[in-house]
């Protein structure tokens, strides 16, 4: 029963990792940009969420109504003003600039919010649970997982069923020819980053209600996100969800074996999959 | 003659420090069809890149409907009604055949071309519309590339090396429909290695050599001897108009 419990809880946690990963996956897919600051942007969003809940006295989930558009705007501006200037043949400038951005965000958060751990208060939702055949399933983890599935399904819809998705894929395929279709790649990239940070906002609220956070935890979230993307296969959104679940389950089983092995078990499974399937479990089929 | 749709006036084009075009002059009459011929490296592709905005130049070196466009980005030029069928087709591999066509029409310029009109022109594309564009034969891919450009309802359509790498029977089919397409009301620039095809469909021809116009004239009066001189630079006194 303990093992079954570990697998179920790990699966639900995997939803959170998939949310971390989805934003990374979007921008890597559209503009081949590896955003080193992604984890710190999640933490930034969590702090902004904290400020919004405190200022307006609202529930963290309600704060999403404000936080999602705010993060999307930040994403659009960040891409237009800074990141677009780094994109080109050379892949080093975007890595360096997002790394610098990561340092800047961490230090700005320290300056404004101090190093004290913070938490978003979700009230009764945090401890309420559903009892299914002896397994206690928390409402919050369940909500987290369902949200992840909805977000991935929504992104899948945007990418494959809408004009915006066509533009994303066209720009990703061939920037020069996409420009000939009247697509301004600078704008398309900025919209992709806005979408990425909108997902970051959702991930941040769940991160902040599930555990405490401080300005230094971004790096770890980035690693979990990366691992989920790579396990699932680059450019495959459902694969990213599967990657998140595999990572979550591996961590939960590791923790079941020994409390100190939680994080290690996730990394070991990641390395094992990378060794056997270097392109991930479900790589996108491209011609 | 009506005002030209495109006027190129002493265009110099550069890749970094390397100059690819030298003081080039060229004109496309309204509803006219010109052909551009020349050896590899003569500057044909650079000229296409310059007009389409993929390569930016001095603004007034390229006038489109009287308006300077030499300094605009490719997406801005496309919005004004200039479309390009690029060399090597360059379809979007992640998009299906139909999506490739739809994205060509995303600017919603008014005109005769729509999905239905393209499928009417190339019925095979309707059968294959949900397939990946990369799964088609070379000739069918060229039809998609032409359809994608037509979907923009351009006033000026440029074809860059459309017969390159295609079987002769396919080339013949494409050149059979080309005049019909152009007759729906647009000007065209045809860049072509196949000189007889180029002369057949155009009213005016320009030959480029080493980034300069080495010959220009009426397609029906120009002689093979003139062309081979202009093409290979056999004599130094080229440049008759």
């Amino acid at each position: 029963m303990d093992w079954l419990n570990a697998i179920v809880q790990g699966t639900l946690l995997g939803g959170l990792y998939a949310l971390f990963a989805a934003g990374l996956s979007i921008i890597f897919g559209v503009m081949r940009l590896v955003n080193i600051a992604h984890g710190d942007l999640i933490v930034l969003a969590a702090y902004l969420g904290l400020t919004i809940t405190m200022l307006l006295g609202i529930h963290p989930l309600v704060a999403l109504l404000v936080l999602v558009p705010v993060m999307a705007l930040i994403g659009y501006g960040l891409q237009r003003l800074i990141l677009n200037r780094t994109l080109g043949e050379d892949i080093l400038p975007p890595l360096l600039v997002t790394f610098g951005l990561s340092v800047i965000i961490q230090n700005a958060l320290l300056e404004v919010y101090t190093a004290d751990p913070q938490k978003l208060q979700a009230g009764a939702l945090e401890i309420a649970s559903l009892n299914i055949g002896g397994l206690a399933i928390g409402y919050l983890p369940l909500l987290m997982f369902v949200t992840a599935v909805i977000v991935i399904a929504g992104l899948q819809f945007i990418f494959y069923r809408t004009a915006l998705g066509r533009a994303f894929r066209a720009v990703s395929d061939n920037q020069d020819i996409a420009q000939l279709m009247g697509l301004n790649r600078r704008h398309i990239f900025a919209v992709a980053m806005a979408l990425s940070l909108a997902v970051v906002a959702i991930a941040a609220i769940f991160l902040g209600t599930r555990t405490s956070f401080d300005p230094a935890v971004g790096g770890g979230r980035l690693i979990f996100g990366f691992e989920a993307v790579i396990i699932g296969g680059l450019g495959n959104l459902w694969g990213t969800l599967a990657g998140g679940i595999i990572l979550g389950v591996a961590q939960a089983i590791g923790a079941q074996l020994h409390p100190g092995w939680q994080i290690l078990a996730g990394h070991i499974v990641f390395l094992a999959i990378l060794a056997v399937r270097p392109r991930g479990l479900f790589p996108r089929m491209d011609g | 003659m009506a005002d030209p749709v495109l006027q190129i006036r002493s265009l110099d084009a550069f890749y970094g420090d390397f100059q690819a075009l030298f003081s080039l002059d060229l004109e496309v009459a309204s509803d006219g069809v010109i052909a551009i011929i020349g050896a590899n490296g003569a500057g044909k592709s650079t000229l296409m890149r310059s007009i389409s905005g993929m390569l930016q130049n001095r603004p007034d070196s390229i006038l489109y409907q009287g308006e300077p466009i030499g300094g605009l980005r490719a997406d801005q030029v496309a919005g004004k009604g200039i479309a390009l069928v690029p060399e090597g087709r360059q379809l979007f591999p992640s998009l299906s055949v139909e999506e490739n066509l739809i994205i060509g029409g995303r600017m919603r310029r008014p005109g005769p071309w729509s999905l239905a009109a393209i499928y009417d022109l190339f019925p095979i594309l309707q059968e294959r519309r949900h397939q990946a564009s990369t799964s088609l034969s070379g000739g069918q891919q060229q039809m998609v590339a032409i359809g994608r450009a037509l979907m923009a309802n351009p006033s000026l359509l440029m074809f860059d090396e459309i017969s390159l790498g295609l079987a002769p029977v396919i080339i013949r089919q494409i050149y059979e429909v080309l005049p019909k397409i152009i007759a729906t009301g647009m000007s065209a620039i045809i860049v072509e290695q196949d000189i007889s095809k180029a002369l057949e469909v155009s009213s005016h021809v320009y030959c480029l050599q080493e980034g300069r116009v080495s010959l220009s004239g009426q397609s029906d009066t120009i002689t093979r001897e003139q062309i081979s001189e202009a093409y290979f630079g056999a004599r130094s006194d080229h440049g008759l108009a």
Side-chain angles (χ1 to χ4, degrees):
Chain A
M1 201 58 177
D2 285 347
W3 292 102
L4 182 63
N5 184 53
I7 291 171
V8 171
Q9 306 303 340
T11 303
L12 298 181
L13 177 61
L16 181 64
Y17 294 161
L19 285 174
F20 291 163
L24 274 176
S25 197
I26 295 167
I27 51 165
F28 183 81
V30 174
M31 58 187 121
R32 301 286 177 270
L33 174 87
V34 176
N35 184 4
I36 304 288
H38 191 75
D40 302 287
L41 287 163
I42 295 173
V43 180
L44 169 71
Y47 275 108
L48 290 179
L50 180 71
T51 302
I52 292 167
T53 53
M54 306 232 294
L55 278 182
L56 304 179
I58 52 177
H59 192 275
L61 292 177
V62 181
L64 275 175
L65 293 176
V66 184
L67 188 61
V68 167
V70 165
M71 288 306 292
L73 269 178
I74 291 175
Y76 191 91
L78 180 68
Q79 187 69 38
R80 278 312 282 247
L81 298 176
I82 299 173
L83 295 178
N84 272 341
R85 296 167 200 273
T86 69
L87 295 175
E89 291 297 305
D90 193 353
I91 59 162
L92 200 54
L95 279 177
L96 291 177
V97 169
T98 55
F99 182 72
L101 198 62
S102 152
V103 175
I104 292 169
I105 293 172
Q106 280 186 35
N107 285 282
L109 289 176
L110 265 179
E111 200 64 42
V112 177
Y113 291 99
T114 77
D116 295 342
Q118 298 287 352
K119 196 170 171 308
L120 296 173
Q121 302 302 333
L125 185 65
E126 287 183 35
I127 45 167
S129 68
L130 208 68
N131 198 321
I132 300 174
L135 281 180
I137 297 180
Y139 279 125
L140 189 65
L142 190 61
L143 184 62
M144 203 161 73
F145 185 80
V146 171
T147 306
V149 173
I150 293 171
V151 165
I152 299 281
L155 291 174
Q156 188 79 13
F157 179 81
I158 291 173
F159 265 78
Y160 293 98
R161 292 279 179 277
T162 67
L164 180 63
R166 270 199 302 276
F168 282 153
R169 284 179 288 144
V171 171
S172 166
D173 280 346
N174 189 330
Q175 296 183 22
D176 282 343
I177 302 299
Q179 296 264 112
L180 292 178
M181 309 293 120
L183 291 163
N184 180 359
R185 64 173 176 230
R186 293 175 187 83
H187 172 71
I188 298 295
F189 287 164
V191 172
M193 187 56 88
L195 192 60
S196 169
L197 291 205
V199 176
V200 158
I202 299 171
I205 291 293
F206 283 113
L207 170 78
T209 44
R210 185 178 164 274
T211 56
S212 61
F213 55 93
D214 62 68
V217 301
R221 308 318 105 180
L222 174 70
I223 297 291
F224 294 156
F226 266 137
E227 290 183 342
V229 172
I230 308 262
I231 290 172
L234 282 174
N236 183 334
L237 286 163
W238 287 117
T240 297
L241 180 65
I245 292 171
I246 289 169
L247 189 62
V249 170
Q251 289 187 356
I253 289 177
Q256 189 69 28
L257 289 169
H258 186 282
W261 290 357
Q262 181 185 358
I263 307 294
L264 183 65
H267 293 332
I268 288 173
V269 166
F270 164 69
L271 285 175
I273 290 174
L274 200 59
V276 182
R277 299 282 300 263
R279 298 189 63 203
L281 294 178
F282 315 102
R284 186 173 68 174
M285 301 297 165
D286 39 24
Chain B
M1 189 164 60
D3 281 344
V5 62
L6 188 80
Q7 257 182 310
I8 295 180
R9 298 191 305 207
S10 53
L11 169 66
D12 296 309
F14 299 85
Y15 293 108
D17 287 335
F18 173 75
Q19 185 163 6
L21 296 178
F22 298 85
S23 192
L24 190 130
D25 291 305
L26 184 149
E27 222 172 78
V28 184
S30 181
D31 293 331
V33 179
I34 68 159
I36 295 173
I37 57 176
N40 282 330
K44 305 188 301 290
S45 292
T46 307
L47 180 59
M48 290 298 101
R49 293 179 63 84
S50 295
I51 298 171
S52 63
M54 289 155 94
L55 189 64
Q56 285 163 22
N57 300 290
R58 210 179 65 244
D60 65 350
S61 57
I62 304 175
L63 298 179
Y64 172 68
Q65 295 173 340
E67 185 189 350
I69 61 160
L72 297 184
R73 292 192 313 263
D75 56 305
Q76 296 169 319
V77 172
K80 297 200 175 294
I82 298 182
L84 172 68
V85 181
E87 182 183 344
R89 307 180 278 277
Q90 312 237 33
L91 301 179
F92 299 112
S94 316
L95 273 59
S96 69
V97 168
E98 185 155 288
E99 285 179 318
N100 266 283
L101 295 174
I102 291 172
I103 204 162
R106 59 174 293 284
M107 286 170 294
R108 300 183 194 287
R109 288 170 53 86
W113 295 101
S114 61
L115 264 185
I118 303 290
Y119 288 150
D120 213 33
L121 183 68
F122 301 121
I124 185 74
L125 298 187
Q126 181 156 25
E127 278 173 41
R128 303 275 159 102
R129 66 183 195 273
H130 296 306
Q131 282 182 345
S133 50
T134 44
S135 68
L136 303 186
S137 70
Q140 291 164 354
Q141 288 191 25
Q142 190 61 275
M143 294 173 193
V144 179
I146 293 172
R148 184 178 65 179
L150 285 174
M151 286 289 287
N153 280 304
S155 309
L156 174 63
L157 181 53
M158 305 191 287
F159 299 89
D160 195 359
E161 306 275 14
I162 46 173
S163 57
L164 204 66
L166 295 182
V169 56
I170 306 288
I171 298 174
R172 202 166 60 239
Q173 284 172 7
I174 285 179
Y175 272 93
E176 268 166 24
V177 296
L178 212 55
K180 284 188 238 168
I181 292 171
I182 295 166
T184 59
M186 64 184 79
S187 311
I189 299 179
I190 293 164
V191 173
E192 187 53 88
Q193 297 265 10
D194 184 333
I195 294 168
S196 55
K197 290 278 182 246
L199 295 178
E200 205 177 290
V201 291
S202 64
S203 56
H204 206 92
V205 61
Y206 289 83
C207 184
L208 300 192
Q209 191 201 335
E210 289 170 7
R212 294 176 172 86
V213 175
S214 56
L215 172 73
S216 84
Q218 300 293 326
S219 302
D220 49 2
T221 58
I222 219 151
T223 66
R224 286 284 169 158
E225 289 70 33
Q226 286 175 319
I227 288 173
S228 70
E229 270 171 37
Y231 215 89
F232 301 110
R235 286 203 327 236
S236 54
D237 59 338
H238 32 58
L240 51 151

